[in-house]
Amino acid sequence: MKATYYPGCSLEGTARPYDLSTRQVCSALGVDLQEAPDWSCCGSSPALKMNRVLSVALSAHNIAQIERRQVGDVVVPCPFCFRRLASAQQEMKADPQLKQRVETAIETTVQGELSVHSLLGYIRNEVGLATIRENVKKPLKGLRLIPYYGCYQVRPPKVTRFDDPENPSSLDEILDALGAVVLDWDFKAECCGAALALAKTEKVTELCGRLIREAAYRGADALVVVCPLCQANLDMRQDDVRAHHGTKYSLPILYFTELMGLSFGISPSALGMDHHIHDPLILLKNKGLT
Amino acid sequence: MLRLTGNSSERVFLNDMMNKSGQRLLECLQCGKCTGSCPVASPETGGPRQLIAQILAGMKDHALTNPMWWYCVSCGSCVTRCPVDINVYELATALCETAAREGITPSEREIHLFEDLFLKSVRKYGRVKELRTVALFNLMTMNPLKDMDKGIALMKKGAIGPLEIFRAGKKDDKVERIFKRVESTREGE
């Protein structure tokens, strides 16, 4: 299967393990990822907040570039990029005047008919659980994982058209297929504070604190994410949570692709698993998984 | 206490916000599901329900200086649960654009600074340079050592390189052009 891969800015920066593990896992699953030509930022939350035409134009610029030499479906690991690319297509379709303004800004026409998937959606629905199971060489036996979807992967459902926005299950099913113990909880799609990380750090600490505390209470060995921003916030704010709640937490925050790769027999360092603040390697060693 | 008289002038701001955001604010039931679901609702920010009430009441100054829409992280909880599908993050864009056009000082200076620095980085390089943006934000908020412990921890693990803060990388002229053209079409409205 061939697919166009739009990594997004975070995967070149703090979320490098997500990029490394995505490439490894897709290759193992027989998905040939072709990086989108000359891709640029989707504008993320700042463009979305500050300037609607700019926000749609930055996504449309990428869509137009992909359209010119399209290779299969478009796969996007970062849920915010995924939502912006998908939304830009819908917004232009619903509003021809907006489309015209955007085309003027990007100096080209855009069809806006690409099939855009989040990486999670693509792996769960296009690749499928059967293929995943076939590739598992080292089942994650005894590893207690708590799946966390965050916001942008599932909401708003009119844009994401993916899973249940209140109680999603795709990630649960994938982790189950890897042989892990999948824990249930009520905070699957709660917010981590997202891009307030810099300007309103205390808000992010409060929101991440709730998630970490609950995950620890449920007895999780690690919390599993699909979003670079969730990963950064939950990994980086645990020490600040301790300052607020007095309890010391050290919960590894892992991308689902890292765990897929691990169960496929790929070495943790090739997946970037040695790059996290809260080290998962000790845990994996204790569980006999490395 | 504010009492509406029904005069059409009271609806100018409301109509403007409905047009710009595409949200059917007149259908708002003030049920409060949005505020109950909102991760950033608090006594300081109020919540989406209060923000919509201000717009419905024509309280333009209050709405444009309301911190709520600066805090909005576009999580989409409100629109997912709203019985009449009002999307507050799309409303936030309309308020932000209007406030900027009218020269209103951002009520949340630091959130505005972050978003501005982020877009400047995108404009220049085509892709946002995370570490440079963080370093610049911490410098400009007079807090240069903020989160230094985390930065050092990540560097020790090889997750980030110290040079990334200083290394500019290549520029993307096409993206800079998009920013310029969006600005010029806006002026021509």
Side-chain angles (χ1 to χ4, degrees), chain B residues 13 54 58-66 69 102 104 107:
Chain B
F13 180 61
Q54 288 171 349
M59 296 161 74
K60 183 178 172 182
D61 295 347
H62 285 80
L64 292 180
T65 54
N66 192 319
W69 54 263
E102 303 206 355
I104 291 166
S107 56

Side-chain angles (χ1 to χ4, degrees), chain A residues 9-10 12-14 16 38-41 43-44 46-54 57-58 61 65 80 83 101 104-107 151-152 155-159 165-166 190-191 193-201 203 207 236-237 240 274-277 279, chain B residues 39-41 69-77 79-81 85 87 89-90 92-93 96-97 108 110-112 114-116 118-119 122 126-128 130 134 137-138 146-147 150 153-154 157-160 164 170 172 174-175 177-179 181-182 185-186 189:
Chain A
C9 307
S10 286
E12 289 198 318
T14 50
R16 211 165 287 141
D38 215 6
W39 62 268
S40 56
C41 178
S44 196
L48 176 63
K49 169 85 60 67
M50 296 175 92
N51 191 324
R52 182 168 185 224
V53 177
L54 177 68
L58 289 172
H61 170 59
Q65 293 198 131
F80 207 94
R83 196 180 80 175
R101 291 180 70 185
T104 308
I106 63 173
E107 299 174 276
C151 305
Y152 309 130
R155 287 189 302 263
K158 273 187 185 162
V159 179
E166 302 283 359
E190 290 295 304
C191 179
L196 292 175
L198 281 187
K200 297 288 168 189
T201 311
K203 191 75 207 171
L207 294 170
M236 285 182 63
R237 295 299 152 204
D240 302 333
D274 48 356
H275 283 179
H276 302 307
I277 290 184
D279 199 337
Chain B
V40 297
W69 54 263
W70 278 114
Y71 269 85
C72 174
V73 291
S74 76
C75 75
S77 298
V79 61
T80 303
R81 292 176 183 167
D85 289 339
N87 182 324
Y89 72 74
E90 291 189 339
T93 310
C96 191
E97 287 182 349
E108 288 296 333
E110 289 174 342
I111 300 175
H112 172 255
F114 164 70
E115 296 186 343
D116 196 42
F118 186 102
L119 286 182
V122 176
R127 300 176 188 176
V128 67
E130 286 178 333
V134 171
F137 178 87
N138 288 345
K146 187 176 180 230
D147 293 331
K150 283 123 187 158
L154 286 169
K157 290 177 183 252
I160 54 176
E164 283 171 42
K170 67 171 185 162
D172 187 336
K174 278 183 270 178
V175 172
R177 258 183 92 82
I178 295 171
F179 273 83
R181 291 181 69 86
V182 169
T185 50
R186 193 200 275 186
E189 267 179 358

Side-chain angles (χ1 to χ4, degrees), chain A residues 119-130:
Chain A
L119 179 68
L120 176 65
Y122 189 78
I123 289 182
R124 169 64 187 83
N125 300 326
E126 307 303 314
V127 176
L129 296 174

